[in-house]
Amino acid sequence: MQPASRPAFYRRLLIKTGKKFLRWNNYFQTKHSLIATTPKIDNSAFDWVYLLENNWREIRGELDILLKKPQNIPSFHEISPDQQRISKGDNWKTFGLYIYGNRIEANCALCPKTAALISAIPHMRTAMFSILQPRYHIVPHKGPTRAMVRVHLGLIVPEERDKVWIRVADQKMHWEEGKVILFDDSLEHEVRNDSDEWRAVLFLDVDRPMDKTGTLVNKLLFSLIKASPYIKQPLKNISAWNRKY
């Protein structure tokens, strides 16, 4: 048993060390960012926001088709084992389209309109449908780096909007169907769905606009992350899931 468990131990150690470095590096990101480093970021920071908002019904339509067979959509931790602390049971499902710049061809083929729209977004790295079951709480956590900005496009929002929210640092936000929310996921955030309905968003990560120094450093940073188990394992798991289902 000892030899078999050693690789897993070193993988966890590598990821843990990498996350600590990335969070320490957030000071650098703050210094060189060309946009606000506040918890919520104004939509005017990116001129492509209108593209998502103007076409949200087409994106929602493709999601609706996927949701006819929700059992074929994996839970977040089934794709990314590092999310086991915040993803439990069958409560948080994700359907990946891009994982850190890697296009998931089989999934994009099922959502061609969505895939075409998001591929037009400059410096988009990750894209997926994020589906939260009723009465689920994603506990407080932090993303690994401020080098990216998190994007949520509201697709399915329960009628009781006050019972469904995301808190980023000290700011609480509510989704609206067809509207984009931008935020800094390197800050502590949590999500609650206290309603009896699903909540679903199109979830994107895009590069944070940086000055020349920041852009150069981030290119190196992104190449290191892309080569790490943090990205490679989810890609393997998506391939395995798609072969099965």
Side-chain angles (χ1 to χ4, degrees), residues 168-185:
V168 184
D170 61 350
Q171 296 189 25
K172 184 183 286 188
M173 295 169 271
H174 299 272
W175 294 276
E176 183 178 347
E177 291 184 357
K179 299 298 181 182
V180 164
I181 293 175
L182 306 173
F183 62 95
D184 182 348
D185 95 309

Side-chain angles (χ1 to χ4, degrees), residues 69-126:
K69 295 183 178 180
Q71 68 275 13
N72 291 349
I73 303 175
S75 296
F76 198 7
H77 60 275
E78 291 178 296
I79 297 302
S80 180
D82 303 294
Q83 310 300 334
Q84 289 180 355
R85 187 179 75 84
I86 60 176
S87 175
K88 304 291 184 183
D90 206 29
N91 290 294
W92 186 5
K93 289 178 170 289
T94 58
F95 186 85
L97 299 167
Y98 282 78
I99 304 295
Y100 228 82
N102 295 278
R103 181 182 168 96
I104 312 302
E105 293 293 346
N107 291 357
C108 285
L110 293 174
C111 305
K113 294 178 182 178
T114 302
L117 286 165
I118 61 178
S119 67
I121 297 175
H123 310 297
M124 182 274 299
R125 294 193 176 269
T126 295

